[in-house]
């Protein structure tokens, strides 16, 4: 789908993936979309800053993401935190962004993993909690109307495409610069898997 320019909207299509995570109550359904070449990140960022409830999503900068599992792990963590009544941020969507971080610095998590005015590739997560006045079709229509970008699948192949994940940034944020053996892994697919495991480990240790 072509990216709209000049203020247009992305034509509607079935680009929103609905995910029912294991060990999560059926009251919580997860909906994820990915956009490349986003042209209005500054506008979307401003909606978050102004706390516009119509834009209550987890907007995640793809450059800090290396895999689908990394995002799903953050979503799962945020949902369990919300269910336990221990959220440290305003809502479950901001909690998702912070759950990507390996430390408890909330403002740093927003800067490193959330949308910025210069974001070009974007993951959007919406968690619908029963009872909700919104449906997945409502969410998809809203994103189609207000995100000026081209949808791509929420899949590792897309997330790891050239221009998406920034390996240097991921290593910096998760403090992997000193993991010398990682550079010695010759097979790219294996190096990616090993990096993913280290990233997930960093996220899991956040609460310790």
């Amino acid at each position: 789908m072509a990216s709209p320019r000049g203020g247009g909207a992305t034509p509607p299509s079935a680009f929103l993936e609905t995910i029912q995570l294991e060990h999560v109550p059926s009251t919580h359904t997860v909906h994820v979309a990915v956009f490349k070449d986003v042209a209005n990140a500054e506008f979307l960022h401003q909606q978050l800053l102004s706390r516009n409830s119509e834009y209550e999503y987890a907007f995640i900068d793809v450059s800090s993401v290396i895999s689908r599992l990394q995002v799903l792990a953050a979503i799962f963590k945020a949902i369990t935190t919300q269910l336990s009544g221990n959220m440290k941020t305003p809502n479950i969507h901001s909690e998702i962004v912070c759950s990507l971080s390996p430390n408890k610095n909330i403002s740093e998590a927003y800067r490193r993993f959330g949308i910025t005015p210069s974001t070009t590739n974007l993951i959007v997560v919406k968690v619908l909690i029963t009872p909700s006045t919104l449906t997945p079709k409502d969410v998809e229509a809203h994103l189609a109307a207000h995100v000026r970008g081209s949808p791509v699948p929420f899949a590792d192949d897309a997330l790891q495409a050239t221009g998406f994940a920034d390996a240097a940034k991921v290593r910096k944020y998760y403090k992997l610069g000193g993991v010398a053996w990682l550079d010695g892994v010759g097979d790219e697919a294996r190096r990616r898997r090993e990096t993913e495991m280290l990233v997930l480990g960093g996220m899991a240790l956040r609460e310790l």
Side-chain angles (χ1 to χ4, degrees):
M1 184 182 302
S3 175
R5 303 301 177 196
T10 305
S13 68
F15 59 79
L16 187 71
E17 181 179 350
T18 296
I19 304 166
Q20 184 63 57
L21 293 176
E22 291 184 13
H23 310 299
V24 167
S26 59
T27 52
H28 292 59
T29 55
V30 176
H31 310 276
V32 184
V34 184
F35 297 89
K36 69 175 182 177
D37 302 326
V38 174
N40 64 332
E42 185 173 2
F43 166 78
L44 298 172
H45 182 250
Q46 186 56 47
Q47 303 316 301
L48 288 185
L49 294 181
S50 62
R51 300 202 175 185
N52 184 340
S53 61
E54 292 185 4
Y55 291 82
E56 189 181 307
Y57 298 99
F59 286 125
I60 301 167
D61 192 308
V62 178
S63 65
S64 302
V65 172
I66 61 166
S67 72
R68 174 185 170 100
L69 182 57
Q70 178 189 0
V71 177
L72 294 180
I75 296 170
F76 180 81
K77 175 61 177 175
I79 291 175
T80 56
T81 300
Q82 185 258 347
L83 288 169
S84 67
N86 291 320
M87 290 199 303
K88 301 295 193 299
T89 68
N91 57 65
I92 196 169
H93 299 99
S94 53
E95 201 71 26
I96 290 169
V97 175
C98 287
S99 293
L100 286 163
S101 177
N103 64 59
K104 298 182 182 181
N105 188 320
I106 293 173
S107 60
E108 181 181 277
Y110 289 161
R111 289 195 308 272
R112 290 184 166 186
F113 299 96
I115 190 173
T116 71
S118 61
T119 293
T120 55
N121 301 311
L122 185 67
I123 296 171
V124 185
V125 182
K126 183 71 172 181
V127 179
L128 295 181
I129 304 174
T130 304
S132 173
T133 58
L134 294 176
T135 68
K137 286 187 176 180
D138 294 331
V139 174
E140 185 170 70
H142 187 261
L143 292 176
H146 297 290
V147 178
R148 292 172 51 203
S150 300
V152 296
F154 179 45
D156 285 343
D157 286 349
L159 297 177
Q160 295 163 1
T162 302
F164 272 52
D166 184 329
K169 183 183 289 187
V170 170
R171 293 189 69 160
K172 175 183 176 182
Y173 291 171
Y174 289 96
K175 302 187 186 305
L176 303 181
V179 186
W181 62 264
L182 199 57
D183 293 323
V185 178
D187 180 72
E188 184 178 349
R190 185 187 162 204
R191 184 166 63 249
R192 224 180 255 134
R193 289 194 302 271
E194 297 287 358
T195 301
E196 179 186 63
M197 290 300 103
L198 292 169
V199 164
L200 293 172
M203 291 166 58
L205 292 172
R206 174 174 176 259
E207 298 304 319
L208 299 181

